[in-house]
């Protein structure tokens, strides 16, 4: 640990710090930033270069600026890109719908039980998420009580009608994948929302009530606008990993639910077509950056980063 | 009916919480199952077999051991590096501060498949064989940003007058840092370390790109097992980790409560 010598400046009021530029911040930054540059920036450039190379695993690759790889990758895999964005989008909306009441409840209603409930939100993280996703296979299994309930209430017919399932079961369907994505990324929505709603001044809500606003109107005119930074942070933390996820579609889906992360995984590790895999990764990153930039601008919270 | 309307938020919140905890309850219940075939998906009958023999499945405890070791080292390194970066950003004005912030944010905004695959292309290009070292490099990388963000938030909420008071009382900068600043930032560092460990222990996607057949982490073991059948021992370890996390956080809470009381 480097000694934070600059902190001494508060005692040396007469001597402005500018005269003697401090190297302390750079020394503190050096190891961490070096790690990020060597193992994040350089690999990203290496990925970009890989996507424009031709060759194969046996003979090695040469950089030929082969942009055709991108055209082929897009024309091959556009349904997977579209599906990933749609699934991640629906899952993000659902997590927002589910996370909002729970975050509001923990932040504003429970008093001294707050920490206990927060622990219950975070603790599932420690059981491997693969194990928890496998547990959804048990929950949604054909002979289970959940499917029986869904059948008796004709929920299965409804899901089939909107084409989220193919038959009267729930597993191995679009429904199961979206359900898994929603479940897995819920804490990433709850924590930023909670952090925001905890600071919400309750007297503002009371003031709205005093001015004869209905509870619904109070929510839309006071609570919701004030919570927008939390909403934006939570949706980004949910949407980005959900769009690249392939665990849920592999464990809970079928051949009709293959997402783009699965394509990248198999192109790299099974097909070993590194150039195509790199091109697909790069396009995914570009799509996410464009969506996020557009969304953050619309939501008007540029200071987020 | 009026009661339901008055407690609508509470009912909705608790329903969502039970949705979140349902898989954990299934994991715990099925750790006492005695399945018929290889797959532990349907309840057969109560049994303590897996609990009395948690290492009964070949490779499972080796994988768990590797994950704990990797998690420990990755947490240690990323917490030290991340805390240093957080202090630099939180306490100093310097050239390149906003690009530093961007560099910290980008890894969190990159999908795991992209991060894992780009590291793989680097390792291939440099001729580094995948194994425990490459796993460690990757884990330290993705934990680092989360540690920085967590510790930075804590530093930002500190009252700078406390350090000035220490200086007024003739503490030298080193003493002020060790006796005043560090204890105040410690909860943030602990939260960052906890987050780093849980991220490292749970990672499958990035690890999968940078591991070799001889370096199987626990999530990789679970994935491999899920393709052939799911041993009950997986549920036992999942249950133990869940309870350990609850216990750890509860202890931390107790300590900080007691501190708050003695301080008051």
């Amino acid at each position: 640990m480097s000694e934070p010598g600059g902190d001494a400046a508060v005692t040396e009021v007469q001597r402005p710090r500018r005269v003697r530029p401090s190297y302390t911040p750079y020394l503190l930054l050096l190891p961490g930033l070096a790690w990020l540059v060597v193992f994040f920036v350089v690999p990203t450039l290496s990925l970009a270069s890989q996507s424009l190379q031709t060759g194969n695993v046996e003979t090695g690759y040469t950089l030929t600026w082969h942009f055709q790889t991108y055209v082929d990758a897009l024309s091959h895999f556009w349904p997977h890109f579209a599906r990933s964005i749609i699934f991640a989008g629906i899952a993000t909306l659902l997590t927002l719908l589910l996370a909002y009441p729970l975050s509001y409840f923990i932040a504003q209603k429970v008093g001294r039980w707050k920490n206990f409930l927060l622990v219950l939100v975070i603790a599932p993280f420690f059981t491997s998420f693969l194990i928890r996703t496998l547990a959804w296979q048990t929950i949604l299994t054909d002979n289970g009580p959940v499917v029986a309930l869904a059948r008796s209430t004709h929920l299965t017919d409804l899901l089939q009608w909107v084409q989220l399932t193919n038959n009267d079961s729930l597993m191995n369907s679009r429904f199961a994948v979206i359900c898994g994505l929603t479940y897995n990324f819920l804490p990433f929505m709850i924590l930023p929302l909670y952090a925001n709603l905890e600071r919400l001044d309750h007297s503002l809500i009371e003031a709205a009530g005093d001015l004869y606003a209905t509870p619904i109107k109070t929510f839309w005119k006071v609570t919701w606008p004030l919570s927008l930074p939390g909403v934006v942070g939570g949706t980004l933390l949910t949407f980005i990993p959900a769009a690249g996820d392939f665990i849920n579609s592999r464990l809970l889906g079928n051949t009709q639910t293959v997402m783009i992360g699965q394509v990248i995984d198999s192109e790299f590790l099974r097909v070993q077509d590194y150039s195509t895999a790199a091109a697909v990764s790069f396009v995914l990153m570009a799509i996410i950056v464009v969506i996020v930039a557009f969304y953050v601008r619309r939501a008007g919270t540029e200071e987020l980063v | 009916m009026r009661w339901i309307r008055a407690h609508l938020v509470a009912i909705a919140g608790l329903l969502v919480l039970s949705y979140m905890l349902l898989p954990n309850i299934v994991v715990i219940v099925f750790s006492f199952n005695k399945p018929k075939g290889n797959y532990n998906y349907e309840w057969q009958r109560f049994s303590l077999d897996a609990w009395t023999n948690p290492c009964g499945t070949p490779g499972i405890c080796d994988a768990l051991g590797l994950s704990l070791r990797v998690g420990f080292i990755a947490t240690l390194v990323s917490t030290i590096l991340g805390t240093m970066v957080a202090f630099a950003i939180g306490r100093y004005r310097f050239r390149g501060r906003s690009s530093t912030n961007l560099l910290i944010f980008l890894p969190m905004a990159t999908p795991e498949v992209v991060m894992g695959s780009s590291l793989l292309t680097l390792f291939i290009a440099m001729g580094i064989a995948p194994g425990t070292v490459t796993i460690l490099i990757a884990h330290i990388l993705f934990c680092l940003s989360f540690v920085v963000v967590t510790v930075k938030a804590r530093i930002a909420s500190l009252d700078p007058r406390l350090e000035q008071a220490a200086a007024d009382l003739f503490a030298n900068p080193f003493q002020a840092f060790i006796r005043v600043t560090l204890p105040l930032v410690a909860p943030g560092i602990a939260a960052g370390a906890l987050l780093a460990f849980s991220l490292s222990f749970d990672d499958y996607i990035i690890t999968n790109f940078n591991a070799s057949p001889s370096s199987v982490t626990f999530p990789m073991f679970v994935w491999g097992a899920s393709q052939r059948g799911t041993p009950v021992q997986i549920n036992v370890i999942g249950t133990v980790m869940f309870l350990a996390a609850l216990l750890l956080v509860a202890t931390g809470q107790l300590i900080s409560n007691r501190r708050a009381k003695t301080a008051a």
Side-chain angles (χ1 to χ4, degrees):
Chain A
M1 203 72 204
S2 175
E3 184 183 324
D7 282 5
V10 284
T11 55
E12 307 164 53
V13 190
Q14 291 83 4
R15 215 190 312 161
R17 205 194 299 182
R18 286 281 152 71
V19 179
R20 182 173 48 101
S22 168
Y23 294 104
T24 317
Y26 298 105
L27 289 175
L28 285 172
L29 287 173
L30 189 68
L33 290 197
W35 201 280
L36 285 176
V37 168
V38 174
F39 297 118
F40 179 73
V41 178
V42 173
T44 308
L45 298 177
S46 156
L47 187 74
S49 135
Q50 178 72 62
S51 71
L52 296 169
Q53 294 175 8
T54 42
N56 59 53
V57 184
E58 278 82 35
T59 60
Y61 285 87
T62 40
L63 183 61
T64 51
W65 300 98
H66 191 255
F67 282 100
Q68 187 65 28
T69 311
Y70 279 87
V71 180
D72 293 344
L74 269 176
S75 61
H76 252 93
F77 297 120
W78 72 266
H80 304 88
F81 278 112
R83 190 180 292 137
S84 301
I85 301 300
I86 293 170
F87 281 6
I90 297 175
T92 306
L93 264 180
L94 288 175
T95 48
L96 181 61
L97 274 176
L98 293 175
Y100 209 103
L102 181 59
S103 314
Y104 188 86
F105 177 61
I106 300 177
Q108 294 280 334
K109 300 273 180 185
V110 291
R112 60 199 186 86
W113 289 90
K114 211 182 260 184
N115 283 324
F116 175 71
L117 288 182
L118 271 183
V119 170
L120 284 185
V121 169
I122 301 166
F125 264 124
F126 284 80
T127 305
S128 172
F129 85 109
L130 284 172
I131 301 179
R132 288 181 285 123
T133 311
L134 289 172
W136 277 105
Q137 295 190 345
T138 305
I139 297 168
L140 297 177
T141 182
D142 268 349
N143 319 326
V146 175
V147 171
L149 184 72
R151 279 181 188 151
S152 66
T153 54
H154 295 285
L155 182 68
T156 44
D157 296 338
L158 180 73
L159 288 171
Q160 216 173 325
W161 187 61
V162 295
Q163 300 200 333
L164 284 174
T165 55
N166 299 319
N167 43 45
D168 66 346
S169 55
L170 296 177
M171 260 304 290
N172 302 322
S173 65
R174 297 191 180 103
F175 170 79
V177 174
I178 293 172
C179 181
L181 286 171
T182 307
Y183 163 76
N184 266 311
F185 296 108
L186 249 178
F188 291 95
M189 182 71 89
I190 291 174
L191 294 178
L193 259 184
Y194 162 79
N196 177 281
L197 288 170
E198 205 210 359
R199 292 195 304 256
L200 180 73
D201 186 352
H202 205 78
S203 58
L204 291 174
I205 294 170
E206 283 162 21
D210 291 345
L211 295 166
Y212 300 106
T214 60
I216 292 172
K217 209 166 178 185
T218 308
F219 177 77
W220 280 117
K221 295 280 178 186
V222 181
T223 316
W224 174 256
L226 285 173
S227 65
L228 271 184
V231 173
V232 173
T235 43
L236 290 184
L237 281 181
T238 310
F239 179 80
I240 294 168
D245 179 84
F246 62 86
I247 304 298
N248 289 285
S249 71
R250 269 290 291 275
L251 292 180
L252 304 174
N254 56 28
T255 50
Q256 304 296 306
T257 63
V258 177
M259 287 170 72
I260 199 67
Q262 218 165 321
V263 171
I264 298 175
D265 181 60
S266 79
E267 288 292 313
F268 253 117
L269 301 178
R270 235 158 311 220
V271 186
Q272 299 206 309
D273 180 351
Y274 293 152
S275 297
T276 303
V280 174
S281 301
F282 232 74
V283 173
L284 174 64
M285 214 160 146
I287 292 176
I288 288 180
V289 167
V290 168
I291 292 179
V292 166
F294 181 73
Y295 172 71
V296 169
R297 179 158 303 183
R298 277 298 297 275
T301 43
E302 273 108 344
E303 320 81 84
L304 197 84
V305 182
Chain B
M1 199 59 209
R2 183 184 288 165
W3 184 88
I4 290 179
R5 275 184 62 176
H7 294 87
L8 199 60
V9 179
I11 294 166
L14 290 175
L15 277 177
V16 174
L17 194 63
S18 37
Y19 170 70
M20 290 188 70
L21 292 174
L22 182 63
N24 281 84
I25 294 166
V26 171
V27 169
I28 295 172
V29 170
F30 275 74
S31 72
F32 297 103
N33 191 18
K34 187 161 181 70
K36 235 187 246 162
N38 285 332
Y39 284 92
N40 183 20
Y41 293 153
E42 267 179 56
W43 182 259
Q44 299 296 330
R45 61 186 180 80
F46 181 85
S47 150
L48 281 173
D49 291 359
W51 279 93
T52 51
N53 189 12
C55 291
T57 308
I60 191 166
C61 282
D62 295 335
L64 181 66
L66 180 67
S67 267
L68 290 173
R69 282 199 302 278
V70 166
F72 181 74
I73 300 174
T75 304
L76 193 71
V77 177
S78 62
T79 304
I80 293 173
L81 298 188
T83 304
M84 285 164 67
V85 173
F87 265 102
I89 297 176
R91 276 298 155 87
Y92 295 94
R93 298 279 166 275
F94 55 90
R95 288 168 71 90
R97 194 162 172 268
S98 56
S99 24
T100 304
N101 269 323
L102 186 67
L103 188 57
I104 301 293
F105 176 75
L106 274 178
M108 294 193 289
T110 308
E112 284 185 291
V113 264
V114 178
M115 198 190 261
S117 59
S118 61
L119 266 171
L120 177 62
T121 58
L122 177 80
F123 292 142
I124 290 172
M126 288 171 53
I128 300 174
T132 312
V133 175
T134 53
I135 295 178
L136 265 174
I137 289 175
H139 281 216
I140 294 169
L141 173 69
F142 67 73
C143 291
L144 190 59
S145 296
F146 285 94
V147 174
V148 174
V149 171
T150 316
V151 178
K152 201 175 77 177
R154 180 75 191 179
I155 293 174
S157 71
L158 281 191
D159 188 346
R161 283 173 301 181
L162 290 169
E163 282 169 349
Q164 291 171 17
D168 289 344
L169 296 166
F170 303 105
N172 66 34
F174 183 71
Q175 285 172 324
F177 178 76
I178 293 291
R179 305 288 297 266
V180 178
T181 315
L182 206 55
L184 287 171
V185 183
I189 299 176
L194 200 64
L195 188 62
F197 184 81
S198 70
L199 289 171
S200 164
F201 187 77
D202 206 12
D203 183 75
Y204 169 73
I205 296 181
I206 296 176
T207 312
N208 187 37
F209 277 100
N210 299 297
S212 68
S214 63
S215 57
V216 177
T217 62
F218 184 61
M220 289 180 68
F221 178 87
V222 175
W223 178 268
S226 73
Q227 312 292 315
R228 301 183 301 269
T230 44
V232 188
Q233 278 81 2
I234 286 177
N235 293 49
V236 174
I237 292 173
T239 304
V240 170
M241 289 302 294
F242 178 68
L243 297 178
L246 281 182
L247 203 70
L248 191 70
V249 182
T251 320
Q253 194 61 45
L254 266 178
I255 292 173
S256 70
N257 278 355
R258 190 161 298 169
R259 274 222 190 116
K261 253 179 212 161
T262 46

